[in-house]
Amino acid sequence: SPPWQILPILRPGTEPLRQLEQIFAAPGIDFPAQTDEGQGRFSSQKWLQAVSHVVNSEAANASTRFLLIVDQVEELVTLCRADERAQFIERLCLLLSEFAGRIHIVLTLRNDFEPHIRNTCLQTYWENGRFVVAPMNQQELKEVIERPAAARVLFFDPPDLVDKIAEEVVHEPNALPLLSFTLSQLYRRY
């Protein structure tokens, strides 16, 4: 099977277009100070040229496939401006159409933010490639809590604290973000 090149994981943050440009930065292609779009961004055509330069570089043979992972896509809604979100999504669609079969994109997104993706140019891709991760049960949540702690030789006191935490979040619609926040606070305090 053809080789894969996994690109750096992208978290949109407040400037998702800049993040995307940096992933496809190629030697000899400088970021513009100003463009016809007026925001110091590549025009769509110039950006596609930069991507093409990377995809068709000497480091990648003609059959190399590229995987772009965009993690926590909900940041497009919670952290960046609507116009930047729209341009970012448009650029993802350009990647998928212009480099079909060569560039593949995985988006991770909380299900409560799906409506923000469904009504965009990504809708068809979304419907055809959507994979839902089922909510964790209480035992799986306990493992998520205990295993990283055990790897660092950390233990919970009182011992039933893990059970209490898992019980609190197991029926929450967004258990993992809530659990992640809670655990990060516990570890910081420790």
Side-chain angles (χ1 to χ4, degrees):
S1 76
W4 283 90
Q5 182 174 340
I6 300 173
L7 300 167
I9 294 174
L10 185 153
R11 276 197 57 189
T14 57
E15 294 185 307
L17 288 172
R18 179 61 66 190
Q19 301 291 332
L20 193 58
E21 286 174 355
Q22 290 175 350
I23 285 175
F24 289 103
I29 297 177
D30 296 322
F31 290 115
Q34 191 71 15
T35 68
D36 54 357
E37 293 175 1
Q39 296 180 355
R41 304 262 184 250
F42 283 124
S43 68
S44 294
Q45 193 58 38
K46 288 246 186 228
W47 183 72
L48 283 174
Q49 289 172 358
V51 173
S52 182
H53 189 273
V54 170
V55 169
N56 298 313
S57 70
E58 291 178 18
N61 65 46
S63 64
T64 300
R65 293 184 289 181
F66 295 82
L67 178 63
L68 173 64
I69 300 169
V70 184
D71 189 25
Q72 299 186 30
V73 173
E74 59 270 13
E75 288 183 356
L76 291 175
V77 177
T78 62
L79 296 178
C80 79
R81 297 181 330 268
D83 62 325
E84 179 133 353
R85 173 177 55 239
Q87 289 177 37
F88 179 81
I89 289 172
E90 180 182 306
R91 296 271 169 108
L92 293 182
C93 291
L94 278 172
L95 285 176
L96 292 169
S97 65
E98 295 292 322
F99 301 96
R102 293 288 312 273
I103 295 180
H104 302 264
I105 301 174
V106 172
L107 304 176
T108 65
L109 174 72
R110 287 180 19 203
N111 63 354
D112 52 327
F113 284 90
E114 280 188 66
H116 297 281
I117 297 299
R118 282 193 179 145
N119 298 325
T120 68
C121 59
L122 287 173
Q123 181 171 351
T124 302
Y125 300 109
W126 189 259
E127 290 170 358
N128 293 331
R130 184 173 179 260
F131 178 80
V132 178
V133 177
M136 292 183 171
N137 63 35
Q138 191 163 345
Q139 183 58 40
E140 291 167 329
L141 287 169
K142 285 177 60 175
E143 288 178 33
V144 165
I145 296 167
E146 291 174 327
R147 281 192 180 179
R152 298 284 186 183
V153 192
L154 297 173
F155 302 96
F156 291 89
D157 186 32
D160 68 338
L161 180 60
V162 173
D163 289 319
K164 288 179 181 177
I165 293 171
E167 284 172 22
E168 286 292 322
V169 298
V170 72
H171 297 294
E172 291 292 324
N174 296 306
L176 289 180
L178 179 62
L179 181 60
S180 174
F181 176 76
T182 302
L183 292 176
S184 68
Q185 294 302 309
L186 282 173
Y187 291 132
R188 283 189 185 129
R189 291 220 182 255
Y190 177 77

